[in-house]
Amino acid sequence: MSDSRVIPVPSSSPPSQSLVNALSRALSRREAKSARRRLTVLPQETVDFSSNDFLSLGTSPAYRGRFMTHLKNAPDSFPFASGGSRLLDGNSAYAEELERFVADFHQAPTALLFNSGFDANVGVLSSVPQPGDVILYDELIHASAHEGMRLSRAGKRIMFPHSSAAGLRDALQTQINEDPSVRNGTKNVFIVVESIYSMDGDVAPIRDFIQVVDDLLPHQNGYFMVDEAHSTGVFGPRGAGVVQELGVQDRMFIRVHTFGKALASHGAVVLCGQETKDYLINYARSLIYTTALGFPFLASIRTAYELLANGETESLQVRVQELIRHLHTRLHSLRADQSVLFEVDHFPTSPIFSLRTSKPRQLAAFCQRNGFIIRAIMPPTIPEGKERVRVCLHSGNTEAEIEGLVQTIQSWLDQCELRSANL
Ligand SMILES: Cc1ncc(COP(=O)(O)O)c(C=O)c1O
């Protein structure tokens, strides 16, 4: 017989505080390390040297005009919300046509839309590597790739030193030595890289990586997965990315392009073969169990790709490169004495600059107070010791704005010098 007695809980008993206490202790630990994250809203009249809107499409009249036309042209009966997962009510002829358009632009067999780059990386990496497979990944790949790998069934996940072909060769050779099924092609090896890294803006040596894989995996069981989040719109023919700039699109098993950066939109696309697309539709949980992008998002992606395909963003690509050369020269003219570590880390054609300093928060705060938005990037976003200030250029920035930023950084360096002299 079951015991049907119920012990009454007084309705006035206070809720347990232990969870909330644990949460606030975790926040305090971050606070103590100056690593607590906070949401901020920027004042309107500041100059943007921070966002990933590299082509300034976010405020472009050409972009807005075309986007509004797409919205207006939609019939009244056309639902703006997708209404469900792509696999249920969330699919549309419009989404499928957009995928064909994007695949053609990127010279890929097929394309599959995801709600974000995060979802795309999680969906691909959690599902495509098969049990026992090996993943070799660059030490600086994005958090979303780590999240996908964490969920994956791959037997091994091995990190190699950042953008080092020699490091990839060593890591791959070790796997081959340890496991004959890697050498004989029974196990698959995935090489996971970005084409441009989000924090330092450096371009990956993709051709060198291909050479390593060709040398060591003669059975063609090496599969590249490249994340082009930061190159989309900015690098390559009409902004198609680094892979197409190098002409190696046929060597990439999967490419991920995201729309939330230079394309001023939202979402991402996975470029791959038809079998892989069908597999993702069946197994990628971040695609299956979520509401698909609604029409306004699809229309904004369409707008961005039409501008790219028509060549309307080429002048913006050229302009951003002019500004990159200008900022590069101006930053290298800054004078810093011993009182504060200050180094400019920059890959020649990249719109992302890293200012290495021992006081990143102070430098970013000083520039922000003076109306220039640049950001300190601190652990846990990047490893300890790699703190920096990140500066991003946009085609809409002006030489005068660059001058203002550089003068402001110089004033800060001068103040540091003065302070240390007074100690
Ligand atoms: C390299 C890289 N991949 C993926 C993502 C995620 O893309 P999304 O913002 O569309 O989720 C980001 C964004 O920060 C990124 O920098």
Side-chain angles (χ1 to χ4, degrees), residues 24 75 90 241 270 309 318 355 401 412:
S24 52
V270 169
V318 171
L355 308 182
E401 288 171 352
W412 182 76

Short mmCIF file of all heavy atoms in Angstrom, two decimals, residues 24 75 90 241 270 309 318 355 401 412:
data_model
loop_
_atom_site.label_atom_id
_atom_site.label_comp_id
_atom_site.label_asym_id
_atom_site.label_seq_id
_atom_site.Cartn_x
_atom_site.Cartn_y
_atom_site.Cartn_z
N SER A 24 25.67 34.35 -7.55
CA SER A 24 26.35 35.62 -7.26
C SER A 24 27.79 35.41 -6.83
O SER A 24 28.64 36.25 -7.10
CB SER A 24 25.57 36.52 -6.30
OG SER A 24 25.21 35.87 -5.20
N PRO A 75 3.43 39.84 -51.27
CA PRO A 75 1.96 39.90 -51.26
C PRO A 75 1.42 39.94 -49.82
O PRO A 75 2.07 39.43 -48.91
CB PRO A 75 1.53 38.59 -51.93
CG PRO A 75 2.76 37.96 -52.45
CD PRO A 75 3.96 38.63 -51.85
N GLY A 90 8.07 25.96 -41.49
CA GLY A 90 8.99 27.08 -41.65
C GLY A 90 9.71 27.15 -42.98
O GLY A 90 10.52 28.05 -43.20
N GLY A 241 34.66 35.65 -50.19
CA GLY A 241 35.42 35.00 -49.12
C GLY A 241 36.82 34.61 -49.56
O GLY A 241 37.18 34.68 -50.74
N VAL A 270 25.41 27.10 -44.64
CA VAL A 270 26.41 26.05 -44.77
C VAL A 270 26.45 25.68 -46.24
O VAL A 270 25.43 25.33 -46.84
CB VAL A 270 26.03 24.82 -43.90
CG1 VAL A 270 26.92 23.62 -44.24
CG2 VAL A 270 26.15 25.16 -42.42
N ALA A 309 26.41 40.27 -55.54
CA ALA A 309 26.42 39.66 -56.87
C ALA A 309 26.43 40.71 -57.98
O ALA A 309 27.04 40.51 -59.03
CB ALA A 309 25.22 38.74 -57.02
N VAL A 318 37.07 48.14 -51.75
CA VAL A 318 38.27 48.91 -52.09
C VAL A 318 38.47 50.00 -51.04
O VAL A 318 39.59 50.23 -50.55
CB VAL A 318 38.12 49.54 -53.50
CG1 VAL A 318 39.25 50.52 -53.80
CG2 VAL A 318 38.08 48.43 -54.55
N LEU A 355 45.43 45.99 -30.59
CA LEU A 355 46.38 46.83 -29.88
C LEU A 355 46.74 46.10 -28.60
O LEU A 355 45.89 45.95 -27.72
CB LEU A 355 45.77 48.20 -29.58
CG LEU A 355 45.16 48.94 -30.78
CD1 LEU A 355 44.63 50.30 -30.35
CD2 LEU A 355 46.18 49.10 -31.90
N GLU A 401 38.03 60.65 -38.87
CA GLU A 401 37.72 59.82 -37.69
C GLU A 401 38.96 59.02 -37.26
O GLU A 401 39.23 58.88 -36.07
CB GLU A 401 36.56 58.86 -38.01
CG GLU A 401 35.23 59.58 -38.12
CD GLU A 401 34.10 58.68 -38.65
OE1 GLU A 401 34.38 57.54 -39.09
OE2 GLU A 401 32.95 59.15 -38.65
N TRP A 412 46.41 59.21 -24.59
CA TRP A 412 46.40 58.22 -23.50
C TRP A 412 47.82 57.74 -23.21
O TRP A 412 48.23 57.66 -22.05
CB TRP A 412 45.50 57.04 -23.89
CG TRP A 412 45.40 56.01 -22.82
CD1 TRP A 412 44.68 56.08 -21.66
CD2 TRP A 412 46.09 54.75 -22.79
NE1 TRP A 412 44.87 54.93 -20.93
CE2 TRP A 412 45.72 54.11 -21.59
CE3 TRP A 412 46.95 54.10 -23.66
CZ2 TRP A 412 46.19 52.84 -21.24
CZ3 TRP A 412 47.43 52.85 -23.32
CH2 TRP A 412 47.06 52.22 -22.12
#
